[in-house]
Amino acid sequence: MRMGGARHSLSRQPSPPFLPQLVSCSLFITICCSLLLLLHFYLRPGPRLEYLSDDRLQMASGIADDLKLDKLDGHTKPRMIQLANGVLMPVLGFGTAGLGEHTKNATLCALQTGYRLLDSAQAREWYNEEAVGESIRLSGIHREELFLVSKLHPRNFGYRITMQQFAKSLEDLGTSYLDLFLLHYPKCFSSICASTNNEVTWHESWKALEDLYHDKKVKAIGVSNFDLEELKELLSLAEVKPAILQRYSDPFHSDRGIQDYCLKEHIQYMGYSTLGSQWFLRGYGFNPVLSHPVVKNIALARKCTAAQVVLQWALKHHQVVIPRSSNPNRIKENFDSLSCELGREDLVQINALDGEVP
């Protein structure tokens, strides 16, 4: 009975006088915190969608910083991309193929304009690495500011000769290392190896490239003109994954399938002959890319040149581009392509040209 009475007596005790105020204060604080939290989520900046929007280039694996031009040390320079192995590479470079006696002066003009990526090769039929090296020396630009590319001619397949030819490129270019070294072709076709009887395949040379990479003689390695099956074979055998695939691409021949595969495998696609020069080799007496009405109309609407429109189209499709010219005005025009803005509808129109026979 006492226990029951004690419980009854306890239940009737009045609440402390400060309890209602404490409850009201706690409720007020809770409401304020909730309001502040809602305000934070409402006002906070959204995620960076710059590279995912319809009218901007979405680069593979987050490797783009920006595609606009930047000012640094008095020169205008393109921004960089980051390759899968962490190496930085300009999105726009200068191609040195087919410049002949103009190689030195054209390359020097490109460097003075602001190009920092120079694409060269050991194929003396089309390239002159000694002239490229001379232009680098004349420019006075520090080596660490440059991104130098060379390619092994397929006539030189084999481990030992690959090492020798790599050393020759270093000598001709006047450098102690390369930023990128590629196998130029997967085979020694008769058209490029008419006087050579080299039956060695690219496999031994790739091993040499891997050893050069491990020895820090080259920052990145890759291949050029490999088709999809050859690229897949390389990926199945390689100890060091290729960072770059260089192939021909223009609006009539976008190479979309292999570009998509490279995107999936985190291999950077590097396009050449973007402005339509391959069509001259097919017997055309005019450039069907730069003269096409779609390209010309977009150029007129965007206040760009046809070449700038096509280069920007390629950039928006994840490509590194390496236009070439011996004309100083064209060299600058191509460099300024990064200032040309294209919208989604522009890209749709140019994409529709793929597969068309001009």
Side-chain angles (χ1 to χ4, degrees):
M1 290 290 295
R2 263 184 214 170
M3 293 178 63
R7 286 197 300 271
H8 179 69
S9 174
L10 184 62
S11 66
R12 295 177 61 186
Q13 288 181 357
S15 301
F18 59 84
L19 189 57
Q21 292 88 337
L22 182 61
V23 172
S24 298
C25 184
S26 299
L27 182 60
F28 176 75
I29 292 173
T30 301
I31 293 172
C32 287
C33 289
S34 299
L35 289 173
L36 287 172
L37 188 61
L38 288 172
L39 190 63
H40 165 73
F41 280 107
Y42 179 77
L43 294 178
R44 69 175 180 170
R48 284 181 63 94
L49 298 178
E50 183 177 0
Y51 303 106
L52 300 178
S53 58
D54 288 334
D55 60 349
R56 297 288 290 171
L57 171 61
Q58 179 184 1
M59 298 297 286
S61 308
I63 57 178
D65 182 10
D66 200 330
L67 291 180
K68 292 184 178 178
L69 298 176
D70 192 17
K71 289 282 187 179
L72 183 63
D73 298 333
H75 291 284
T76 303
K77 300 179 183 178
R79 293 280 186 151
M80 313 289 274
I81 59 168
Q82 187 177 31
L83 302 179
N85 66 348
V87 170
L88 295 177
M89 179 181 189
V91 297
L92 174 69
F94 183 69
T96 64
L99 296 177
E101 62 184 10
H102 303 292
T103 300
K104 184 179 75 172
N105 289 339
T107 305
L108 180 59
C109 177
L111 291 170
Q112 293 170 340
T113 301
Y115 291 86
R116 292 297 178 264
L117 186 166
L118 300 179
D119 178 79
S120 190
Q122 298 169 359
R124 292 187 176 274
E125 302 93 326
W126 311 302
Y127 296 86
N128 186 340
E129 292 197 324
E130 291 177 337
V132 173
E134 181 62 19
S135 70
I136 293 171
R137 287 186 285 274
L138 291 172
S139 74
I141 297 171
H142 294 179
R143 172 62 182 91
E144 58 270 18
E145 293 186 40
L146 301 174
F147 193 99
L148 301 184
V149 183
S150 185
K151 297 181 278 290
L152 179 77
H153 198 293
R155 72 166 69 95
N156 296 319
F157 280 160
Y159 185 94
R160 182 182 59 83
I161 193 169
T162 297
M163 291 296 196
Q164 293 172 346
Q165 291 302 120
F166 179 83
K168 183 68 168 65
S169 282
L170 294 186
E171 178 185 351
D172 290 345
L173 294 170
T175 182
S176 60
Y177 68 95
L178 288 180
D179 296 278
L180 177 64
F181 193 41
L182 307 175
L183 301 183
H184 204 157
Y185 285 92
K187 300 173 184 175
C188 205
F189 301 102
S190 58
S191 58
I192 57 176
C193 297
S195 60
T196 304
N197 187 25
N198 186 357
E199 298 181 357
V200 182
T201 65
W202 57 262
H203 301 78
E204 290 186 32
S205 289
W206 183 257
K207 175 58 179 171
L209 266 61
E210 290 181 327
D211 286 349
L212 290 167
Y213 177 78
H214 288 311
D215 292 341
K216 302 187 185 308
K217 295 290 187 181
V218 60
K219 290 186 177 181
I221 56 177
V223 293
S224 177
N225 298 303
F226 274 47
D227 64 24
L228 185 57
E229 292 307 312
E230 290 159 341
L231 185 58
K232 287 181 177 180
E233 181 185 3
L234 172 60
L235 290 176
S236 71
L237 300 173
E239 177 186 333
V240 178
K241 189 173 183 177
I244 294 282
L245 173 63
Q246 185 182 100
R247 280 174 60 91
Y248 154 54
S249 172
D250 70 27
F252 296 118
H253 177 266
S254 72
D255 209 20
R256 195 71 228 154
I258 291 188
Q259 283 195 66
D260 289 341
Y261 183 79
C262 287
L263 189 64
K264 179 172 71 77
E265 293 293 334
H266 306 289
I267 299 170
Q268 177 60 50
Y269 188 98
M270 186 175 182
Y272 67 83
S273 296
T274 311
L275 298 179
S277 59
Q278 288 288 315
W279 295 98
F280 292 113
L281 301 178
R282 301 181 185 187
Y284 281 68
F286 66 101
N287 187 325
V289 172
L290 300 184
S291 62
H292 196 281
V294 167
V295 174
K296 293 174 69 174
N297 289 338
I298 292 173
L300 182 64
R302 293 294 179 176
K303 295 181 172 57
C304 302
T305 67
Q308 290 170 344
V309 166
V310 174
L311 290 171
Q312 186 61 219
W313 165 82
L315 288 168
K316 287 183 181 294
H317 282 289
H318 314 166
Q319 297 186 32
V320 169
V321 291
I322 46 171
R324 62 187 171 99
S325 178
S326 58
N327 184 311
N329 293 328
R330 296 273 176 81
I331 290 171
K332 184 179 186 305
E333 172 190 325
N334 293 339
F335 186 76
D336 290 340
S337 63
L338 294 177
S339 299
C340 180
E341 292 291 335
L342 299 183
R344 177 179 175 81
E345 184 56 35
D346 300 327
L347 297 177
V348 169
Q349 291 184 60
I350 300 174
N351 288 345
L353 301 179
D354 190 24
E356 180 179 313
V357 178

